[in-house]
Amino acid sequence: MTEARKKITLPYLFDKAARNEPITWLTCYDYPTAYLQEQAGIEMILVGDSLGMTMLGYDSTLPVTMEDMIRHSQAVRRGAPTAFIVGDMPYMSYQPSVESAIRNAGRFMAEASCDAIKLEGGAAMADRIKGIVDSGIPAIGHLGLTPQSVSALGGYKVQGKSAALAKKILDDAKALEKAGAFMILLEMVPDRLCKLITEQAENCLIMSLGSGPEAHGQLLIYHDMFGLYPRFRPKMAKVFGNAGEVILNGLKAYHDDVIGKQFPQPENWFGMKDEEFSDLQAMLNPPAAEAEEKPRKKSKKNKIVKEQE
Ligand code: KIV
């Protein structure tokens, strides 16, 4: 991107979908990556609770707290001032009640300047979506493989393969749209089901994560795109660059350079003028007579001289 981009807004997203141009969406959890995503022109960023796995090393997303989410969302906003940032509501931040859902959704907006929130679940969560939307907060639903319910779903696998389960997901999408969700993410549902839901959506954008091309846009997990998650790589993730390998090679080279005394080189350290160093030596080793006359006082204040060479 050359020119500074205008803030991505809800009308921008709907206009783009109306022109049949796919919306770009990625997960992101930190400042430097957010900065790069903004430079690359990515329109939407999901500060996903997947950070529990990708950034914090848990086995699932369940231990992630609101404090974790707020901290990471704030960092992402600092790196991506114009992206449409979505805060992902962590486990048990909205399930207990509509009131808890509104309060925690509000925290994403007030404390981290998010543009919207996302939560998992279908018709059973429609009242949470309605409460949040009625409070003036744009809300996104998430159907199909919903990681917070991975135990109930029987693992990380495609959802809605049978006609009956596909119908349930379609009904859930309708319930979320009716409740006011402006967007629904379909994760790992069959492409034809995603197409059907997209065609039937009236005032709601449908996004695909591993659910095929016939949606209003695509989401990917950043760590899967760049080989940065060591435990597994889901089939739906295309690797756009192996940053994990590049970083690993760099780390090995650093290790070898240090033990081989090849690092640091003069350009990697800072020097001191000869006269200053001589003065320092004189201070530390005064002539014997002077040392007797003037016992060294405890230093009062160190003068800090900043030098950039
Ligand atoms: O937390 C997350 O990154 C998500 C994606 C898996 C959609 O919810």
Side-chain angles (χ1 to χ4, degrees), residues 128-150:
R128 273 56 161 193
I129 292 276
K130 182 170 178 351
I132 291 168
V133 173
D134 286 350
S135 306
I137 301 171
I140 300 176
H142 179 171
L143 297 172
L145 177 65
T146 44
Q148 291 175 16
S149 317
V150 68

Side-chain angles (χ1 to χ4, degrees), residues 189-202:
V189 307
D191 59 343
R192 283 195 279 187
L193 175 58
C194 178
K195 182 169 188 279
L196 259 180
I197 294 175
T198 306
E199 284 165 356
Q200 294 194 11
E202 285 169 20

Side-chain angles (χ1 to χ4, degrees), residues 259-273:
I259 62 172
K261 302 196 175 162
Q262 296 303 305
F263 180 87
Q265 294 292 324
E267 64 269 25
N268 309 120
W269 69 63
F270 302 93
M272 186 178 189
K273 285 186 180 144

